[in-house]
Amino acid sequence: MEELFAGGRIIDAILVMVAIEAVALTAWLGRRGRARLARSLLPNLASGACLMLALRTALADGWWGWIALCLAGSLAAHVVDLAGRLRDR
């Protein structure tokens, strides 16, 4: 169990679950005519996924540049999410 966390493999499992969640939510909401809601959730999921990728890279002793790119991706997705929320108000 320690190796699962120390090597960052647990993050891989979480990222797979996030991808499944994104596909399932998009399909489920799309069938109910709420595709716009599904699109509004995707930047939030992308931001979290980028943060998890940054953590995975750090746990695997990855290059700091990859960590920075993951964090920048998370910031970009977060800004898109916030802009969408403010626009909807």
Side-chain angles (χ1 to χ4, degrees):
M1 188 71 152
E2 182 179 336
E3 182 180 309
L4 186 66
F5 283 87
R9 292 290 176 202
I10 190 71
I11 304 299
D12 296 340
I14 294 169
L15 286 169
V16 167
M17 288 187 281
V18 168
I20 291 169
E21 178 183 14
V23 169
L25 278 173
T26 301
W28 186 66
L29 290 170
R31 279 188 231 140
R32 285 165 176 63
R34 305 202 58 191
R36 185 169 185 237
L37 177 59
R39 284 191 302 272
S40 71
L41 294 173
L42 294 179
N44 192 331
L45 289 173
S47 178
C50 286
L51 286 174
M52 286 186 277
L53 283 171
L55 175 61
R56 168 78 169 86
T57 305
L59 288 174
D61 292 327
W63 177 54
W64 68 267
W66 291 120
I67 298 170
L69 285 172
C70 291
L71 292 174
S74 180
L75 174 63
H78 183 63
V79 167
V80 168
D81 182 40
L82 286 177
R85 291 173 191 261
L86 290 173
R87 184 183 60 241
D88 290 345
R89 290 183 131 212

